[in-house]
Amino acid sequence: MCGIIGYVGNDHALPIVATGLKNLEYRGYDSVGIALNENGIDVFKKSGEIDDLDVPETHPSNCGIGHTRWSTHGKPTDVNAHPHTDEDGEVAVVHNGIIDNYEALRAELDSHTFTSETDTEVVPHLVEEYLADDHDLRSAVEATIARLDGSFAIAVTASGHDGFVVARRDSPLVVGHGDDGAFVASDVTAFLEHTRDVSYLEDGDVAHLTTDGVSVFHDGEGTDRAVQTVEWEAEAAEKGGYDHYMLKEIHEQPQALRQTLSGRLDTVTGDVDLELDLPEQYLSSLQEIQIVACGTSNHAGRYAARLFEQFADVRTTVETASEYEFSGGRDPWRTLVVAVTQSGETADTLSAMRRAASAGARTLAITNMVGSTAARDADHVVYIRAGPEIGVAATKTFAAQVATLTMVSVYLGRQRGTLSGDRASSLLSNLRELPGAVQQVLDDEERTRDVAAEFVDSDAFFFIGRKLGWPVSLEGALKLKEISYIHAEGFAAGELKHGTLALVTDQTPVVAVLTDGAAPRKSLNNVKEVESRDAPVVGVSSLDDTTKYLDVEFTVPELGVLEPLVANVYLQLFAYHIADELGRPIDKPRNLAKSVTVE
Ligand code: F6R
């Protein structure tokens, strides 16, 4: 997804902005650009990669804005790349998001000449109009954004004006306060090597960044946004010796899970401390939980739904966020809507949350990103604390989401009186053992690499599992297809025979989740079904008598309802090594972006 970086201060802006863009590469992009403001504006932009950008060795400007674009309006061409300018090149703008009314605004600006197909280009033209009308840069931007419908984070710089002005609505922006200048970015990773002191802008904020510092305004009035310290080390966002971020993040899971669980479990009493304060009466009268999420987060939600029903005795549905409506005679006051989102910025999930909130339902966000829109919009938030995830394919955040949601299920069960202290203690003990169990799987990586090499030329893969094994089979298939580009599908094991079995041949390996929590004995019948159609079967099992049914067996340590989550680590490694064998660009799969901020 698009990324923004801006710098103004005592140093030359070009290297800082260029490095910031590099740091944002992981978000996915198809074109890139920089504007430098120094007695006039110089723009460098291009479709393609940052390294292709034709910038001078040095440039004297101490003020610059940069952008990585992921096309939504208009193809990824040089002209459509950001920054966009007015006709005279006096105003330059970078923008994330979508301006819904850009066609009407273009029609209104009929005396202006537009060169790109983008929605963004209306912004510099509007700013130009307001500057010509004697506005200063900030008030020109304020007047401009008042005209925009849709979502945006923008940075605007103009010839003859100090620094740049930024504004946000429904798209994140974070300001960095360095010793030698001020930064802005769509994501702290962009400038983390320069400063860890940051403040998150709120929706509707406008900030002016100059060599003198940062001034934030809301509704035209000066305001302060608290400065927080980012604890992540800059190195944490680097590859740390692995070939790919994805592999590094798969291996980080034990540590990420320890961080997720840290200080939150009491295995003696069976209680959890999530700093979650849902009113007692609300919890006891709760009728339904609706989980809204997309992709991998949706699979984590499906895992959690079974735990919520089992431990908190409350009906739980899982909705694809883009399809969500609050309907069907539900009582909003007795419904909890749980948004599961790693980034906290997924447009479909945010929009589902807003629909739920406007119907009167209480919302809870489960997210990795402190200060994200989901975290701020929700009535309640629990962070999964997985640390930064750079690989486009979610891995450690899936594990941390499921672990966090397991704790939420214990919290709900304890508060509602549906989960005994003993049962809760044993679940929490399993959670404590989870990092170690994941480590055992990681120690078996060599074998997953060999097995991946064996199956790399397969036509397609089918993943099957029941109960908690079903979301894991969906996740295993998603991971494999997104990074290897081989067709893969996940199924409830019993469903395969209702049609898809017709596709099963000796060229379509079947991967079966056969652990506790996944009704493994029943799934063995489905294993036999596919075997009799000559499909090779890879089993991820915690049973001690499955070897004879399987062509390949990966063994999962005993861990009750968390076994399918541990099995998933094998599926991650399997997907990774198949994609690696095929030489795929694993961290940046084609057509995909880390954070999908358009509906
Ligand atoms: C797949 C993947 C995506 C995300 C989805 C939701 O590996 O990462 O399917 O899970 O785009 O993203 P978040 O969790 O940020 O809302």
Side-chain angles (χ1 to χ4, degrees):
M1 193 45 60
C2 302
I4 288 177
I5 169 77
Y7 169 77
V8 56
N10 302 327
D11 294 326
H12 286 161
L14 177 57
I16 294 175
V17 173
T19 313
L21 291 175
K22 273 284 203 204
N23 294 341
L24 290 171
E25 274 195 307
Y26 74 92
R27 292 164 71 97
Y29 70 106
D30 48 40
S31 46
V32 62
I34 295 175
L36 299 167
N37 188 351
E38 170 81 15
N39 303 322
I41 292 177
D42 292 329
V43 172
F44 311 92
K45 61 180 190 171
K46 201 168 186 347
S47 70
E49 308 231 332
I50 291 156
D51 293 337
D52 301 335
L53 203 58
D54 195 10
V55 287
E57 292 263 295
T58 57
H59 191 286
S61 171
N62 66 348
C63 168
I65 55 177
H67 190 259
T68 49
R69 173 170 186 256
W70 190 72
S71 311
T72 52
H73 288 78
K75 297 198 179 69
T77 59
D78 293 353
V79 167
N80 286 338
H82 298 211
H84 288 284
T85 61
D86 63 328
E87 277 143 294
D88 303 330
E90 300 278 307
V91 178
V93 173
V94 294
H95 163 226
N96 288 357
I98 290 178
I99 295 163
D100 292 334
N101 60 336
Y102 78 102
E103 278 169 331
L105 291 170
R106 268 192 184 218
E108 186 189 308
L109 293 161
D110 56 357
S111 61
H112 293 241
T113 307
F114 287 87
T115 53
S116 79
E117 303 161 279
T118 64
D119 51 341
T120 305
E121 201 182 350
V122 295
V123 179
H125 289 274
L126 281 171
V127 174
E128 177 197 13
E129 288 272 313
Y130 289 113
L131 287 176
D133 206 18
D134 270 356
H135 284 260
D136 61 20
L137 184 58
R138 173 169 66 88
S139 73
V141 171
E142 282 169 339
T144 298
I145 61 173
R147 308 289 312 284
L148 307 181
D149 292 339
S151 64
F152 53 80
I154 56 171
V156 185
T157 190
S159 180
H161 295 262
D162 193 11
F164 53 86
V165 172
V166 300
R168 67 155 285 175
R169 186 193 297 158
D170 292 341
S171 193
L173 272 182
V174 55
V175 171
H177 307 270
D179 291 338
D180 283 311
F183 303 79
V184 76
S186 38
D187 175 338
V188 282
T189 322
F191 58 68
L192 211 52
E193 64 255 58
H194 300 290
T195 181
R196 296 212 224 134
D197 293 336
V198 305
S199 40
Y200 293 94
L201 296 184
E202 307 256 325
D203 267 348
D205 281 356
V206 172
H208 196 172
L209 285 75
T210 67
T211 33
D212 295 332
V214 181
S215 327
V216 184
F217 301 85
H218 196 91
D219 293 333
E221 300 290 323
T223 185
D224 285 327
R225 297 293 169 222
V227 177
Q228 309 175 20
T229 303
V230 175
E231 302 294 348
W232 296 345
E233 296 292 339
E235 307 87 80
E238 291 169 9
K239 274 191 229 158
Y242 290 96
D243 286 346
H244 297 95
Y245 284 114
M246 182 182 175
L247 188 59
K248 171 176 174 261
E249 286 154 8
I250 290 172
H251 279 270
E252 277 173 356
Q253 287 178 109
Q255 182 210 337
L257 285 165
R258 279 186 199 103
Q259 220 164 267
T260 303
L261 304 173
S262 165
R264 288 171 157 179
L265 312 181
D266 186 334
T267 46
V268 177
T269 61
D271 289 317
V272 292
D273 180 4
L274 296 171
E275 291 171 37
L276 192 53
D277 53 351
L278 289 158
E280 216 169 283
Q281 209 190 335
Y282 167 79
L283 281 176
S284 54
S285 63
L286 198 59
Q287 278 179 342
E288 182 176 350
I289 295 177
Q290 298 177 337
I291 297 177
V292 293
C294 307
T296 290
S297 296
N298 185 281
H299 301 156
R302 285 166 185 252
Y303 202 118
R306 288 194 178 262
L307 303 183
F308 287 0
E309 294 202 332
Q310 201 176 333
F311 304 134
D313 194 23
V314 57
R315 184 174 68 232
T316 306
T317 56
V318 186
E319 313 271 348
T320 300
S322 56
E323 292 292 321
Y324 177 76
E325 297 291 344
F326 192 90
S327 59
R330 287 160 168 131
D331 178 353
W333 308 110
R334 294 178 176 203
T335 306
L336 175 65
V337 174
V338 180
V340 185
T341 166
Q342 184 283 129
S343 62
E345 302 295 347
T346 299
D348 289 325
T349 307
L350 295 177
S351 151
M353 276 174 74
R354 284 179 195 135
R355 260 170 271 162
S358 63
R362 200 180 270 269
T363 55
L364 162 64
I366 307 292
T367 184
N368 196 27
M369 299 306 270
V370 177
S372 62
T373 308
R376 282 175 301 139
D377 280 5
D379 299 313
H380 307 271
V381 59
V382 177
Y383 292 108
I384 65 169
R385 300 183 187 161
E389 187 174 69
I390 308 294
V392 164
T395 51
K396 65 175 178 173
T397 55
F398 176 77
Q401 282 171 340
V402 174
T404 305
L405 288 161
T406 305
M407 290 188 282
V408 173
S409 77
V410 171
Y411 166 82
L412 294 172
R414 297 295 285 148
Q415 296 289 315
R416 284 166 57 80
T418 53
L419 183 67
S420 72
D422 283 353
R423 180 76 182 101
S425 292
S426 116
L427 264 169
L428 298 186
S429 301
N430 284 344
L431 269 173
R432 251 221 217 295
E433 288 168 34
L434 179 62
V438 169
Q439 188 59 55
Q440 279 187 50
V441 174
L442 294 172
D443 293 343
D444 200 19
E445 182 179 3
E446 199 70 31
R447 241 162 39 86
T448 58
R449 185 183 305 142
D450 296 345
V451 175
E454 212 178 297
F455 289 117
V456 73
D457 294 322
S458 304
D459 291 348
F461 286 81
F462 298 106
F463 289 72
I464 59 171
R466 288 171 185 260
K467 313 289 178 199
L468 296 169
W470 181 20
V472 167
S473 69
L474 294 172
E475 177 57 9
L478 177 64
K479 222 73 320 175
L480 181 64
K481 65 187 152 194
E482 69 182 325
I483 61 166
S484 75
Y485 313 155
I486 299 177
H487 179 243
E489 284 185 72
F491 283 95
E495 189 63 15
L496 202 62
K497 61 183 176 294
H498 295 290
T500 308
L501 197 56
L503 298 180
V504 170
T505 69
D506 60 354
Q507 294 304 310
T508 62
V510 173
V511 182
V513 180
L514 301 167
T515 64
D516 209 7
R521 298 269 163 219
K522 269 192 141 180
S523 292
L524 274 178
N525 294 330
N526 310 107
V527 165
K528 287 173 202 157
E529 265 164 26
V530 298
E531 257 179 351
S532 62
R533 272 89 185 167
D534 298 327
V537 181
V538 177
V540 188
S541 172
S542 59
L543 303 181
D544 52 15
D545 57 354
T546 41
T547 317
K548 57 180 177 288
Y549 303 109
L550 306 171
D551 295 287
V552 176
E553 185 177 38
F554 292 120
T555 306
V556 173
E558 280 182 30
L559 209 61
V561 292
L562 296 174
E563 286 177 25
L565 179 59
V566 180
N568 185 58
V569 179
Y570 272 118
L571 306 191
Q572 294 171 341
L573 288 170
F574 187 60
Y576 173 84
H577 285 296
I578 287 190
D580 196 36
E581 280 280 330
L582 291 168
R584 303 294 192 225
I586 291 177
D587 285 329
K588 283 186 276 169
R590 70 184 176 206
N591 307 337
L592 299 182
K594 183 67 182 164
S595 177
V596 185
T597 53
V598 289
E599 283 184 66

